[in-house]
Amino acid sequence: MTDESTWTRRNVLRTSGAIAGVSAMAGCIDSLGSDGDDEAEYTVSMPPVGEVEFDGVPEAWAAGTGDWADMGIALGQEPPAALYLARRLHTGYYDDIPDVSVGEIDSLWDDSELTREEVIELAEDVDLFVMDPNFLEGRADWSPDDIDQVESTGTPFFGNSITSRDYPWHQDYDYLTMYEAFEKLAEVFQEQERYDEFETLHEDFQSELETVVSADDQPEVAVLYPQLEDDSFLPYLIDESTTYKHLQDLQVEDALATSDVEDFHSGRGSVDYETLLEVDPEYILVRTEQYLSEEEFQQSIVEPIQSHNVGRELTAAQNGNIYNTVPFYQGPIINLVATQRLAEQLYGVEDDLFDPQQVSDIVNGDF
């Protein structure tokens, strides 16, 4: 799948209204017909699927991962009808934003596999799959024919696996930053004004961050996914993918990067307590599959580590520096909340670095 591929709608989107006020930012836009109709087509480019043509603004949609779901919610859309694994969209982060909440979302991948038939059935109800087809081939063992059959329903794929840079099927097309991806989705939903408001808020947030982070005294962290029943952890090395944007912005030092520990994405291996003690990071940042309240996190993660005969020797365990962090997927809303929380934990920040009400206003169209 390359950028030269062109994925288009083969039937009219189920949205019935015309597009009003379409701007040049939406891409190549041409009026349809010669009878004065207001309907217009527009295209948006997205690697690896190329130019995707829309003849109406999508209403119902599905997404693969929670980062794209968060972007759509930030753009004022209804939450996606389904995700690969809905539990990986940690909706608890929305608790920090007034008047923004997300209800139950269906999961496509709760069984042992994600089938083409499930997605084709879903195509009857949604106008857009915000999914990277290369992900489906690389991680769900789909064939190119499977992709073609889904695409032939008329519901297009539009997505890029921005979360990770280590998979071999994501090495021959462009990586996108969070806000590059966010802007493209804004073009799809014709919500450029909301995107502009978020971009300005984000720039202001970055300026506030610069006043509290310290390049001379970087917190040393290790990002781990716990498998406590096996006395082991999956290690993740910080890179430029969007899953680590909050850590990039907080200018942390990756303790695992200077060790012999191999990133889980590359080696699929784990580390035991003894290996972790050799690294002995100042802070341990824990990823969890499901969102945990602070009480749940302390009971299910921190206390078992602190009570382990080797775990209790870790500097982070002794100093109370074991914190919850974004699992895998963050969009603009979750990024703001997660970065604020971690700034409080790593740097002792006491003031809000962004206004939660401003986020709410943008999501709800009050700007």
Side-chain angles (χ1 to χ4, degrees):
M1 205 97 33
T2 67
D3 288 348
E4 285 72 32
S5 301
T6 300
W7 295 56
T8 61
R9 296 306 300 259
R10 294 199 178 115
N11 60 359
V12 177
L13 280 170
R14 298 173 192 81
T15 54
S16 59
I19 304 168
V22 177
S23 74
M25 290 179 64
C28 303
I29 304 175
D30 298 304
S31 296
L32 294 181
S34 57
D35 57 358
D37 287 348
D38 291 332
E39 286 195 45
E41 290 188 353
Y42 60 99
T43 62
V44 185
S45 176
M46 169 62 75
V49 297
E51 297 289 330
V52 182
E53 183 179 305
F54 297 89
D55 46 24
V57 178
E59 292 183 354
W61 60 299
T65 50
D67 44 0
W68 291 98
D70 191 42
M71 292 180 206
I73 293 163
L75 292 168
Q77 307 303 300
E78 289 295 318
L83 293 168
Y84 294 147
L85 293 169
R87 64 179 178 271
R88 290 190 173 182
L89 174 63
H90 285 193
T91 56
Y93 285 101
Y94 297 120
D95 293 345
D96 288 18
I97 308 298
D99 302 316
V100 174
S101 61
V102 177
E104 186 173 347
I105 299 175
D106 289 339
S107 288
L108 294 170
W109 214 329
D110 273 347
D111 298 323
S112 59
E113 61 180 348
L114 172 64
T115 67
R116 176 193 61 203
E117 288 73 24
E118 285 180 277
V119 179
I120 289 176
E121 183 178 353
L122 183 59
E124 295 296 318
D125 301 317
V126 301
D127 305 316
L128 177 67
F129 291 124
V130 185
M131 302 173 180
D132 184 343
N134 283 23
F135 180 93
L136 292 168
E137 291 187 38
R139 297 293 292 155
D141 296 324
W142 281 29
S143 70
D145 286 344
D146 292 331
I147 300 297
D148 290 342
Q149 286 194 38
V150 172
E151 196 270 338
S152 70
T153 66
T155 300
F157 288 106
F158 182 90
N160 184 308
S161 296
I162 61 175
T163 304
S164 174
R165 299 192 172 193
D166 293 320
Y167 292 119
W169 44 263
H170 195 348
Q171 293 178 352
D172 61 351
Y173 58 99
D174 290 343
Y175 298 112
L176 301 177
T177 68
M178 179 185 295
Y179 272 75
E180 286 172 342
F182 188 28
E183 184 173 24
K184 287 181 178 292
L185 193 62
E187 293 178 25
V188 171
F189 287 123
Q190 294 293 280
E191 290 286 355
Q192 289 92 337
E193 189 174 359
R194 266 194 178 90
Y195 168 80
D196 290 342
E197 292 290 327
F198 253 105
E199 184 181 38
T200 298
L201 185 156
H202 177 253
E203 290 172 352
D204 293 342
F205 178 62
Q206 294 292 304
S207 296
E208 291 295 322
L209 270 182
E210 290 177 2
T211 67
V212 299
V213 300
S214 172
D216 297 326
D217 186 23
Q218 297 173 305
E220 184 189 54
V221 309
V223 180
L224 304 169
Y225 184 96
Q227 297 183 305
L228 299 182
E229 67 280 2
D230 298 324
D231 286 349
S232 66
F233 303 85
L234 306 183
Y236 290 90
L237 274 65
I238 300 169
D239 62 21
E240 294 301 314
S241 56
T242 61
T243 193
Y244 303 113
K245 175 172 166 47
H246 59 314
L247 303 182
Q248 298 157 12
D249 293 345
L250 289 167
Q251 299 185 27
V252 301
E253 179 181 344
D254 187 356
L256 298 178
T258 57
S259 73
D260 294 329
V261 173
E262 188 176 19
D263 182 76
F264 175 73
H265 283 302
S266 301
R268 315 304 288 181
S270 62
V271 296
D272 56 20
Y273 275 103
E274 288 75 15
T275 301
L276 188 57
L277 184 58
E278 291 177 10
V279 179
D280 200 21
E282 181 183 6
Y283 295 88
I284 292 176
L285 304 182
V286 177
R287 289 176 153 178
T288 56
E289 181 77 0
Q290 294 178 299
Y291 185 84
L292 300 175
S293 68
E294 182 58 27
E295 181 180 2
E296 292 170 332
F297 182 73
Q298 291 293 323
Q299 291 177 349
S300 61
I301 305 295
V302 176
E303 291 176 8
I305 293 175
Q306 290 177 330
S307 62
H308 189 274
N309 63 328
V310 178
R312 66 168 63 102
E313 298 180 31
L314 292 164
T315 297
Q318 294 177 355
N319 294 338
N321 287 338
I322 302 174
Y323 298 121
N324 204 354
T325 190
V326 173
F328 300 96
Y329 307 114
Q330 57 177 310
I333 300 176
I334 291 176
N335 171 253
L336 288 168
V337 176
T339 309
Q340 170 71 42
R341 291 185 185 181
L342 208 52
E344 295 168 2
Q345 294 163 336
L346 299 181
Y347 289 102
V349 171
E350 297 180 353
D351 299 324
D352 285 340
L353 302 176
F354 72 96
D355 182 359
Q357 184 60 53
Q358 186 180 1
V359 176
S360 174
D361 291 344
I362 297 172
V363 172
N364 291 299
D366 298 328
F367 57 88

